[in-house]
Amino acid sequence: MFPKVVQVVPMRDYSVYVYFEDGKIVHYNMSKMIEKEAFFCLKDIEIFMNRCTVMNDTLAWDIGGNWDNTACLDIDPDTLYELPFVNE
């Protein structure tokens, strides 16, 4: 089974609620990831919040703002799906 993300809700503490097609909800904390070079631009909270979306069926950030799914920053959906189920 390939987990498919259908909705994401970013929070101002650099975390994201991730909703999967099968009803599973996880809470992903990005606070450590934004310290890595590839994700450093997400330290700007406005970029983190406003560019957070679903692309390639997973949590992603449309950094360029042009909906190019080959140029987004995304998180492997399997990594997200392995997180424990949470209630909203």
Side-chain angles (χ1 to χ4, degrees), residues 20-43:
F20 288 90
E21 184 177 51
D22 67 0
K24 184 173 184 177
I25 304 167
V26 300
H27 185 240
Y28 186 61
N29 186 344
M30 278 291 292
S31 61
K32 291 183 181 174
M33 288 291 286
I34 62 173
E35 298 300 328
K36 297 183 180 190
E37 185 176 346
F39 293 96
F40 195 75
C41 63
L42 297 179
K43 282 188 93 166

Side-chain angles (χ1 to χ4, degrees), residues 9-63:
V9 179
M11 308 303 287
R12 295 196 76 78
D13 66 354
Y14 295 104
S15 67
V16 182
Y17 284 94
V18 181
Y19 297 76
F20 288 90
E21 184 177 51
D22 67 0
K24 184 173 184 177
I25 304 167
V26 300
H27 185 240
Y28 186 61
N29 186 344
M30 278 291 292
S31 61
K32 291 183 181 174
M33 288 291 286
I34 62 173
E35 298 300 328
K36 297 183 180 190
E37 185 176 346
F39 293 96
F40 195 75
C41 63
L42 297 179
K43 282 188 93 166
D44 180 329
I45 192 66
E46 296 309 316
I47 291 174
F48 181 86
M49 296 291 293
N50 296 328
R51 301 290 174 91
C52 186
T53 189
V54 176
M55 296 178 84
N56 303 319
D57 293 330
T58 193
L59 166 62
W61 285 267
D62 179 22
I63 300 303

Side-chain angles (χ1 to χ4, degrees), residues 53-88:
T53 189
V54 176
M55 296 178 84
N56 303 319
D57 293 330
T58 193
L59 166 62
W61 285 267
D62 179 22
I63 300 303
N66 57 3
W67 292 97
D68 180 356
N69 64 358
T70 65
C72 66
L73 294 175
D74 59 8
I75 307 296
D76 184 328
D78 290 324
T79 299
L80 296 168
Y81 200 81
E82 290 174 4
L83 294 171
F85 183 91
V86 297
N87 291 321
E88 294 181 75

